[in-house]
Structures are given as C-alpha cells and as structure tokens.
Amino acid sequence: MEALLQNQVVDAIAVALEKVSESGELPISPMPSPAVEPPKRPEWGDFSCNVAMTLASTVKQSPMKVAGVLATSLRKDFPELFKQIDVAPPGFLNFTLHPRRWIEVLQAIESHGSSYGASHIGKGKKILLEFVSANPTGPLHVGHGRGAALGQAMASLLTSTGYTVSREFYINDAGRQLQLLGRSVYARYRELLGKDSTFPEDGYHGDYIKGLAESVAHSHGESLLENVPDEAEAVCAQMASQILLDRIKEDLAKFGVNFETWFSEATLHSQGLVQKNLDELHVRGLAKEEDGALWFRSSEFGDDKDRVVKKQDGTYTYLAADMAYHRDKLDRGFDMLVNIWGADHHGYIPRMSATVQAFGHEKESLRVVLVQMVSLLRGTQKIEMSKRAGEFVTLREVVEEVGSDAANFFFLMRRADTHLDFDLELAKQQSSDNPVYYVQYAHARLASLFRVAQERHVTLPIIEDVDASLFLGADELGLIKTLAQYPCILEGSALALEPHRITFYLQDLAAQLHAYYNKHRVLPAMENPVHSEERPQEHGVETNGKTANADQESTNIQLTPQVTAARLALLRQVQTVLRNGLTLLGISSPEKM
C-alpha cells in the first residue's frame, strides 16, 4: 500500500532531521525516530510531533528553537505536502496538510478495497495465540465467550498486519479437575440408578452433570456398578470430558471461533515431557531438591520466589505441566507466544515468564493478556451467577438470545483488563442505543442508498472521475480524515493486542456517517417517493433525533449531478472501511436491516 499521509509526514520530518544535522544547525546523534499523531484539538492542525522536545537536551537548545529550525526546513523542502506548519509551546510541531492531499486517502481505499488498512509490520513473525483453553469439565460460560471473542479478533488483527498466527486451545484433560468431574458424574450416575451415593463436597454442580450421568447410563447401563469406584470414576471422567469438549468445539464454531490445533495436556504426561523438562532444569542447576520436593529456581528470572514443581508424594504441580507446555510451544518454532488468561491468573505470569527465560528465550517472547469478569444484566437488573453452584449463563445461551454479532461486539467494547457489563436487553434493541446495531445500520444505510441510486440509473462513480474540489468541504474532510486513521488504528490495535480500539473507531465513524447523511442530501428528492432513501421508516432507527435523510442539507451547496456523484463516491469509501472493520472483528456487514 502506498505511503499513508501520516507516514509521509513522518518521512518528511526524518529528512529534515538528517538535513539540519548534516548542516550543523542541530548536531543530532543518535538520530531519533519521529512519531506523529492527530492533535488533541482539530484547530491545531492535522498532525502533531514532539520530536523537538525529545531532542532539546541532546542538541542543547530550547525545544522551541529546535522546533523552529525543523519547521523552516520542512516549509522549504515540502511545500506540496504542508499548507501550514506551526510551532507551539513548549515545542510542538503542528502540521496542516494541503486539503487536496486528503483525496489520496479515498484513492487508497478504492484501490485496496478489503485490504485497506492491512500492512506488513509483522514481517511474517510466527505467533502462537492460545485462548479460551477452558477445562472440559463444564459448558462455556460468558467469561469464556469474552476470551473467545478477544482471541479471534486478535488473530485477525495480527494476521492483517503481517504476522503468521496459529490459534491453539489447550485442553486441560489431566489432573484433579478431571478426577472431580469423574466423581461428580459417577455420583449422579449412582443416584440415577437408585443406589446410595455421596456427592463430592468440591464436585461440579449443575444440571449438566445429571445430563452427563444419563449419557453414561445410556452407554454403559449398570455395568459400572460392578467396577471399583476409582475405575468407574475414570470411565465417567473420560466419557464426560469428551462430551463436554465436543460441545465446547460446537459452541465455539457457532460463535465463529476456530482453532488450528487442540493440544492435550495428557500428551505431555504420556510422552514424558513433564519429567524430561524437570530433569533438564535439574541438570542445569535451575531446579533444586528441598524438603523432599523439587523446586524451580524461578526467582533467578524475576519471580518473587522459587516454585514447587514436584511435590513430596511424587505428583506434579500444575506449574510443571504448564512449563512443559510452554517449552513445547517454543520448540515448535514460534517467535512469540500470546496467552489470553482470566484475570485471576495474574500471579502466574512471572512463573511463565521465568519458564521461557529458563529454556533460553527472551522474556519478551511471551505476552499475556488478562481478561476481566463479565456481568450479565437485563436492563438495570444483574443476573446472579455462581460457577461453584453450577448456576451460570452459558455462551450458547447468550449467542442464541442476542446473536453472534451482538455478542462479539459487546465482548469487544471494552479493554480486556476492565470489567464488562453486558446488557442482554440492550444487545437486542434495534436502535441507536445499541452500539453494534448502530454500526451495522450505518453500513446497511449506505447499501440502501446505493441500491436506490442504481434503481434510478444514477452512476456510482470512482474517485478519479469526480470533481476533487467537492471533497474539500469541512464535513467531507472530517469524514476523510477519520477514514485516514483506520490503518493507524489497526496497526496500533495489533501491536498493543487491543481489539477494543476497532470497536471505538467504528462507533465514531458510524456517528460521523449518520450525522453527515442527516445533514446532506445525496440523491435528489422525488415527487412521489417509493424508495428507501425517501421513506426513512424503512431504515428502522433514529439517529440524533432525525431519520434517514428526511431533512434537506443545511448548507447552501446546490445538489447538482456533480455533487451527487462526489457524495456517492465518498460514501462508498466509508462503507468499505465500515465493512473492513466489522469483518476484522468477525461481525457481519448487513445490506439490509
């Protein structure tokens, strides 16, 4: 993709830095990498840069003096790019571009279409993204849903910015959780057959356990009653966990979430990888025997204390298996591991960081994103949930009630590390109060407009065939500048692993589109309107108290065929960016609503 305007500004500043350094005006060493961003207030210009302030101490000049030298150089060498360059205290460079340069944004969108915003900053770097990884001991709940939406969106973001991403689900099919599942199901199985049964105090509750017991009874009849309890519980655990895992896969697939690999924890034990890794650490002096247990010297890699990996009774801790798993990930040749965990695993991060370092990898090769809890609401009423008591709302129930689009968007509306209130009633509303409906409606509204234009035999022009001066009004430039931000938003979102930035952006773009559409007529009015643009009730939603283009534009521009052509061309690019952003998040872009 050709250089974005923002990148053109960065390149121009870099040239100016080199030039003033070579001339001796500002002896710069080392040469900085300038960064630009939109200023906090639009009247300050299109872009702002603080490089003068970062250089001041190096060149022993005041920030204002440094900024002035750079501004002079930039005005001289890049008159075709900058309409105005201002120096503002305490040393900011504020840039206003020539308005016509913004038309390049529309040309780029039209040229690249569905790939607009994509980049190659990842340079093919291989990332293993592990997320959800729910124990196959119960159905997926809404918390898992948030992690699933986040992981799927993150994979799309990273892929679109040039990374090679593999998605993996780690199946916790070994250890105490499976034993408890087996005991719980076996207890319900005995109850079902009219036998005395003691339910484990810390077992899994909920009606789904009874359903699993019925499946076991259907498959095995009363034969398990003849087995010793340990053997019967193992059979129950194996069968129940497989049923639950199949349901998990089905629920995720319906939610639009897929994985390249499903990694079984049990294979780590069956292949001896857990003990092999501990032996290696022991030989290298990174594990020690103390009080009859084996300890990992994790404190040598930044952990606050050493950790037990093998207990006195010879059994492994959870950490031992997780260490083997992460070693296996790195041995598969990935450059970076990204884990999405529940917020309650915060204390586990230093242990895994120590693990990757102990096996010879950089600390930065592991990144962990923590996901906070989700509270379900119906309006103002909170839905009480208790996982321990088996009382929780499943992901399947949420998706069936509000749809996968709304569920995805709502899960992605906030930073992952902040608490999320998910209002089921709001997610079903067909109004501007519902953020996903508001964004999708913006796309559908434009699709309706283009259908009407075609029905009236109005040509949908390409950018280069339109009078460019008609893109330079304040409202048009405002839309174009927002469209120009998309590649930068996408890049920043990928690097920070924060998909919520895309939802924020889409809501802002949709709001701008609705405001523009309500203010400016696109197609001429008809005497006896029968089409959707002239019948706002067909759009089914109000925006800012107005409906679908019912008012004539408030500007004095006459609606000529040339103006219609320019507005149609502009709005086609808006629709493209809306569709690109929604697709990236795994959300549909409806043509009708």
Side-chain angles (χ1 to χ4, degrees), residues 466-488:
V466 173
D467 180 355
S469 66
L470 297 174
F471 293 130
L472 304 182
D475 294 336
E476 286 77 14
L477 280 176
L479 265 176
I480 295 170
K481 289 177 182 181
T482 299
L483 296 176
Q485 294 174 15
Y486 179 67
C488 301

Side-chain angles (χ1 to χ4, degrees), residues 465-539:
D465 289 344
V466 173
D467 180 355
S469 66
L470 297 174
F471 293 130
L472 304 182
D475 294 336
E476 286 77 14
L477 280 176
L479 265 176
I480 295 170
K481 289 177 182 181
T482 299
L483 296 176
Q485 294 174 15
Y486 179 67
C488 301
I489 295 289
L490 199 159
E491 225 174 72
S493 184
L495 292 174
L497 303 179
E498 293 182 342
H500 73 275
R501 297 187 188 187
I502 305 296
T503 64
F504 286 6
Y505 172 82
L506 290 174
Q507 290 176 83
D508 288 343
L509 179 58
Q512 265 192 280
L513 178 278
H514 290 311
Y516 182 88
Y517 194 75
N518 286 330
K519 181 178 180 181
H520 299 285
R521 181 171 290 281
V522 179
L523 299 177
M526 296 183 68
E527 292 184 5
N528 298 304
V530 294
H531 296 295
S532 57
E533 196 205 13
E534 310 305 328
R535 296 177 61 185
Q537 67 271 22
E538 290 186 19
H539 287 292

Side-chain angles (χ1 to χ4, degrees), residues 36-55:
V36 302
E37 59 184 16
K40 293 181 180 178
R41 294 171 60 175
E43 61 266 29
W44 292 345
D46 297 322
F47 297 106
S48 182
C49 180
N50 68 349
V51 68
M53 289 182 280
T54 63
L55 278 176

Side-chain angles (χ1 to χ4, degrees), residues 257-277:
V257 177
N258 300 289
F259 293 88
E260 279 76 29
T261 51
W262 297 74
F263 191 100
S264 166
E265 178 187 354
T267 61
L268 296 171
H269 297 277
S270 63
Q271 296 175 13
L273 295 180
V274 178
Q275 186 59 50
K276 177 183 176 182
N277 283 291

